[in-house]
Amino acid sequence: MASAPVERQLLPRTATVDPDGHLRVGDIDLLDLAAEFGTPLFVYDEFHLRQACRAAVEAWGDGVAYAAKAFLCRAMARLAHEEGMHLDVASGGELHVALSAGVPAEKLILHGNNKSEEELRTALACGVGRIVVDSFDEIARLGHLLDAPTGRSDRPRVLVRVTPGVEAHTHEFVRTGGEDTKFGFSVASGAASQAVAALELLPGVELVGVHAHIGSQVFDVSSFEQAAEVLGRFFAPLGLPELVVGGGLGVPYVNGESAPTQAEWAAATRAACARTGVDPSVRISAEPGRSVVATAGLTLYTVGTIKKLPGIRTYVSVDGGMSDNPRPVLYGSGYEAFLPRAVAAPRPDAVRLVGKHCESGDLIVPNAFLPEGLRVGDVVATPVTGAYGYAMASNYNKVPRPAVVFVADGSARVVVRRESLEDMLRLDS
């Protein structure tokens, strides 16, 4: 039922309810975190993050990479590296953050459908472990850059990004494996084979494998199997040592949803590859992001106004909104909401949880359910915001971005401080 308490699977792994009915994460009362650090506030369960990284490594083995676009700061980069994951970075900025966190360059995989010369030059100079080549223009760009000394003795290792022609059952904006996409080289059209041939003839690089990604928030293992079978048939005759199937594993966001585990995803993928003749010695790996961080994080807000429109609905406005979580606006994404002071209480009151921005579409949870007795000043939480919340945050309406805290064993540490108003003037001339 929509009015039932939030399901346990939507909460971080260390979440517990104390005798007063308050939710604790990392053995800290969420209300105490809101009081100490202010709201909006992103709270991450460090134990959950580490366990999720370990599950990915156990499922996929060496080479599995955390997709940094889901959530990246130096603390997260260090944590993923400490737990044995490589890092998939998709821009010069993400590359810079990972390197500044102390992640060895050889543990990084550089992505991007339009890498600039500067991004490629930096990757070549620092010794990035893998570059995922996405276009014929990029092949030419690499060839041009490699005509000049790079400062490294080995040849850079590259993967060719291919599109398997598989339409994942997910939102159209996060489908990436079909024919109509800005990413990669089509297998069906022959472009992928042409790209492989071009890279094999490029003397300055070492082609080590094939990469694909079919989309994000995928719940159906059969989509991954279908993609793996297409990839396997293309990949097996090439005799290359690495096959990367990307990321995209879905996570539950609302009551009643369920998703496969890392182990189930990996097992189905490996079985499909084996059926198509992929050699058992090939390193088959993946790039999970959302499934590592999403449920580890939640967002705390403070209620500022409660506006009841008789016969229509009740609007509950909080001190954040589309600037810290644009997913509901972009994708129509669903979330739950609850009161950390009464997490196990029934939620009979239907409200529209909205932000403070000057947009009617500034929706956080359009059809939220909360306990009776909601009042101005209450702290409201939205769970499963660890992925693509802070990562996609903006300063719309010049609202400062929230702080991020990691909690563990009764301690909280700020890993990204809250922006100040002065911060937003630093780039102004």
Side-chain angles (χ1 to χ4, degrees), residues 72-159:
L72 182 63
C73 63
R74 285 188 288 187
M76 184 62 214
R78 284 191 289 266
L79 185 151
H81 173 59
E82 289 166 3
E83 296 301 336
M85 297 192 78
H86 295 219
L87 267 74
D88 144 19
V89 295
S91 71
E94 290 183 356
L95 174 62
H96 181 70
V97 171
L99 290 172
S100 72
V103 179
E106 64 267 22
K107 299 293 185 181
L108 302 177
I109 301 98
L110 178 64
H111 282 270
N113 68 296
N114 185 24
K115 303 178 194 69
S116 68
E117 278 203 10
E118 183 59 33
E119 287 170 328
L120 288 171
R121 189 179 293 111
T122 300
L124 293 171
C126 75
V128 157
R130 302 289 186 273
I131 297 173
V132 181
V133 176
D134 200 277
S135 68
F136 290 110
D137 290 321
E138 187 176 331
I139 294 174
R141 206 167 287 153
L142 272 173
H144 168 70
L145 290 171
L146 290 167
D147 283 341
T150 63
R152 55 190 290 177
S153 58
D154 62 325
R155 289 189 298 163
R157 295 178 175 88
V158 302
L159 302 166

Side-chain angles (χ1 to χ4, degrees), residues 65 181 234 350 381 397:
T181 177
F234 172 76
N397 287 150

Side-chain angles (χ1 to χ4, degrees), residues 6-20:
V6 171
E7 292 175 357
R8 179 65 184 79
Q9 66 163 346
L10 303 182
L11 300 175
R13 294 193 186 188
T14 65
T16 58
V17 181
D18 71 15
D20 294 325

